Amino acid sequence: MLVHIKSVLQGWTLDDQRSHMQLVSSRTISFIEVPSLAVFEAKEALFYDEGKGFLLYLSGGEVSSTAKERVVFLELREALIWLNEPPEDRGSFWA
């Protein structure tokens, strides 16, 4: 997953000497794709960087070369909401 994050964040610069990104939490969400009724697993990971704040990485359940990937910058409140989402609400940040 970190390889994908590196490719997604190419335009996002980090000062390697002062900025350290840490994984806060990650999870896998199983879902059924409607047209094919195939089961997939989406990946979500919340990172924290002292200089940049919270970053939520979302990766769709497809094969990695065709997976939909998104990066969302979150405020502290949004990060806490993501961390405390009940299982039935997980995946809400994809909308």
Side-chain angles (χ1 to χ4, degrees):
M1 185 173 357
L2 290 177
V3 173
H4 293 297
I5 292 171
K6 187 175 181 181
S7 67
V8 170
L9 296 177
Q10 285 178 348
W12 194 56
T13 59
L14 292 173
D15 181 351
D16 292 335
Q17 296 173 350
R18 287 187 271 157
S19 183
H20 299 283
M21 190 178 292
Q22 297 177 332
L23 176 65
V24 175
S25 181
S26 66
R27 60 187 176 211
T28 301
I29 303 167
S30 297
F31 65 95
I32 298 174
E33 184 189 40
V34 175
S36 68
L37 297 179
V39 176
F40 288 101
E41 290 186 336
K43 307 286 185 190
E44 297 183 341
L46 181 65
F47 292 90
Y48 178 72
D49 180 86
E50 291 176 4
K52 305 292 184 187
F54 290 95
L55 178 140
L56 181 61
Y57 171 75
L58 309 167
S59 177
E62 299 86 13
V63 178
S64 61
S65 64
T66 61
K68 295 176 185 174
E69 296 179 311
R70 291 176 53 189
V71 173
V72 180
F73 294 94
L74 302 178
E75 299 291 328
L76 174 61
R77 182 177 185 280
E78 296 169 315
L80 289 171
I81 289 170
W82 183 86
L83 283 167
N84 291 296
E85 277 185 319
E88 63 271 8
D89 291 340
R90 291 188 177 166
S92 65
F93 282 80
W94 282 92

